[in-house]
Amino acid sequence: MSTPADIPFDGTATATRVLTRSRAETPTASARYTSVDVTTRDAILDLKDAWQRLEQISEGSAVFQSFDLCLPWLDAYVFGEAPTHQAHVLAFYNQAGAMIALAPFAQKISGLVSMAEWIGDPLVQYGDILMDPAADRKALRTVLSDVLRSWRVGGMHLRNVREDSRIAQVLDLSTTAVGEAREAALADFTQFDDVEGYFATFSKRSKKNRKNKRRKLVEKGELSFDVVKAGPEGAEYCALALKWKIAWLAERGLSSRAFMDSRALAALQDACGRESDHNPIHLFIQRVDGEPVAIEVGLLGPLGNAAFMGTYDPAYETLSAGKVQMESSVIYGFDEGWAGYDMLAPMSEYKQSWSNRAVGVADQIIPSGMFG
């Protein structure tokens, strides 16, 4: 079961549209790319097609930076009541006018030191930029540094950055990590011919436990598994999953700001309800006699499925319904050709038993002085 990190969920704010053409300091970079800083809702909507094109070709971990996840958060925190952030969606273009990268940032309005951060905190479990694989990293670094230097910010606080992220290829993050280093547990499907090969790597004890859990659930009724895309039905199952998750946290005396803030919950609910061919959100549902007993909210991207939130009906807690659902998702993923199954950070003993790879994840604080 995964729960978004318990980190501050600060909101966002409206602002007049600002289109800042930022040219690089070196002739080479200046000749290649320009940037546009977009801050209004209408202007952000104008970016939709190009934004979603980048989603399809970007090879990194930017699934949480999808348009269909970012817009609901912006509506809740930037363009809604009592905004606390200003949007800064940085779009980068080549000479032909094609968008080659996009960095979805937000800037706090109040506070002693104003920091830029990812749009979507704390729903964002990986922070990254969307980038065309053919983009020139050095030229992009120069233009990005130039525009960030023009902001009146103390720096950037970028949470949940993977060590193999695209932002780490563009900016030097070798000395900027803060806090405790974490690892995300990954099941890399590309190392196996089929799901049987993957499960064959499990210990005898793990194999026995999986079979026993499924057998016990079967005793309660006929098992079935299905996948619901984002849309009206997705919103209904998201509401049910949130109800179960919040009850699970409350029963254990736990808290997560992602689930304590009504605006964060509204943004996630809205994102799950956005019917779009590009929306990465899918809901994976384990059923007993047709009724849902466990639900996983996942985001599908080039790296496979990021298992954002897993939860189950409290009535089935002792029957490991969530673990059976997880197994069903893995089987489905192999059938669908996923690259992998990402259980996100932090690592745990149970996640480790399903993973064959780990990737470092860290929060980054980049002082404004590093922009030159």
Side-chain angles (χ1 to χ4, degrees), residues 190-234:
T190 64
Q191 299 183 24
F192 305 97
D193 293 331
D194 50 38
V195 70
E196 287 78 15
Y198 167 69
F199 283 132
T201 64
F202 283 40
S203 68
K204 290 183 179 179
R205 181 180 178 182
S206 293
K207 292 176 185 177
K208 183 178 179 180
N209 285 341
R210 282 195 307 106
K211 290 180 180 178
N212 287 340
K213 289 178 174 62
R214 185 167 286 269
R215 177 181 53 78
K216 289 180 180 179
L217 199 58
V218 167
E219 291 173 357
K220 293 297 181 179
E222 182 180 356
L223 300 192
S224 60
F225 176 81
D226 60 291
V227 181
V228 175
K229 294 182 179 180
E233 188 180 11

Side-chain angles (χ1 to χ4, degrees), residues 27 75 80 99 114 118 129 151 183 211 216 219 268 273-274 297 312 336 344 363 366:
D75 282 340
M99 187 189 294
S114 180
W118 298 118
I129 61 174
W151 291 359
E183 283 190 323
K211 290 180 180 178
K216 289 180 180 179
E219 291 173 357
L268 179 57
R274 289 181 62 84
V297 180
Y312 52 80
E336 291 295 303
L344 307 177
D363 296 343
I366 308 170

Side-chain angles (χ1 to χ4, degrees), residues 23-247:
R23 294 211 170 265
E25 293 177 351
T26 64
T28 303
S30 176
R32 298 207 66 177
Y33 302 143
T34 58
S35 69
V36 178
D37 182 1
V38 184
T39 66
T40 69
R41 193 178 193 278
D42 285 346
I44 288 169
L45 290 176
D46 288 342
L47 297 177
K48 179 180 176 181
D49 289 346
W51 188 327
Q52 292 183 328
R53 184 191 72 85
L54 280 182
E55 290 176 26
Q56 300 307 304
I57 64 174
S58 185
E59 298 174 342
S61 53
V63 66
F64 287 93
Q65 283 68 55
S66 70
F67 179 86
D68 286 306
L69 189 59
C70 286
L71 185 63
W73 187 90
L74 288 167
D75 282 340
Y77 288 89
V78 177
F79 307 121
E81 296 180 4
T84 55
H85 280 61
Q86 177 179 5
H88 283 287
V89 178
L90 301 183
F92 300 89
Y93 297 89
N94 61 20
Q95 284 184 309
M99 187 189 294
I100 51 88
L102 184 138
F105 295 132
Q107 181 182 349
K108 289 183 179 179
I109 293 174
S110 59
L112 295 176
V113 179
S114 180
M115 302 288 283
E117 56 192 42
W118 298 118
I119 285 173
D121 278 337
L123 299 178
V124 169
Q125 294 303 288
Y126 289 140
D128 206 351
I129 61 174
L130 292 159
M131 187 171 70
D132 187 320
D136 183 321
R137 273 70 166 167
K138 183 177 180 181
L140 188 57
R141 178 187 302 119
T142 304
V143 180
L144 177 58
S145 298
D146 190 35
V147 70
L148 293 176
R149 188 169 56 248
S150 71
W151 291 359
R152 294 183 177 180
V153 295
M156 306 182 74
H157 188 183
L158 305 182
R159 296 180 175 93
N160 299 328
V161 177
R162 284 173 51 136
E163 61 186 355
D164 60 354
S165 65
R166 296 307 176 262
I167 188 68
Q169 295 177 7
V170 173
L171 296 178
D172 180 8
L173 304 182
S174 60
T175 61
T176 58
V178 295
E180 184 179 355
R182 306 180 298 280
E183 283 190 323
L186 311 175
D188 183 355
F189 294 170
T190 64
Q191 299 183 24
F192 305 97
D193 293 331
D194 50 38
V195 70
E196 287 78 15
Y198 167 69
F199 283 132
T201 64
F202 283 40
S203 68
K204 290 183 179 179
R205 181 180 178 182
S206 293
K207 292 176 185 177
K208 183 178 179 180
N209 285 341
R210 282 195 307 106
K211 290 180 180 178
N212 287 340
K213 289 178 174 62
R214 185 167 286 269
R215 177 181 53 78
K216 289 180 180 179
L217 199 58
V218 167
E219 291 173 357
K220 293 297 181 179
E222 182 180 356
L223 300 192
S224 60
F225 176 81
D226 60 291
V227 181
V228 175
K229 294 182 179 180
E233 188 180 11
E236 292 180 9
Y237 283 114
C238 178
L240 179 59
L242 287 172
K243 176 184 175 182
W244 290 344
K245 173 63 77 174
I246 291 169

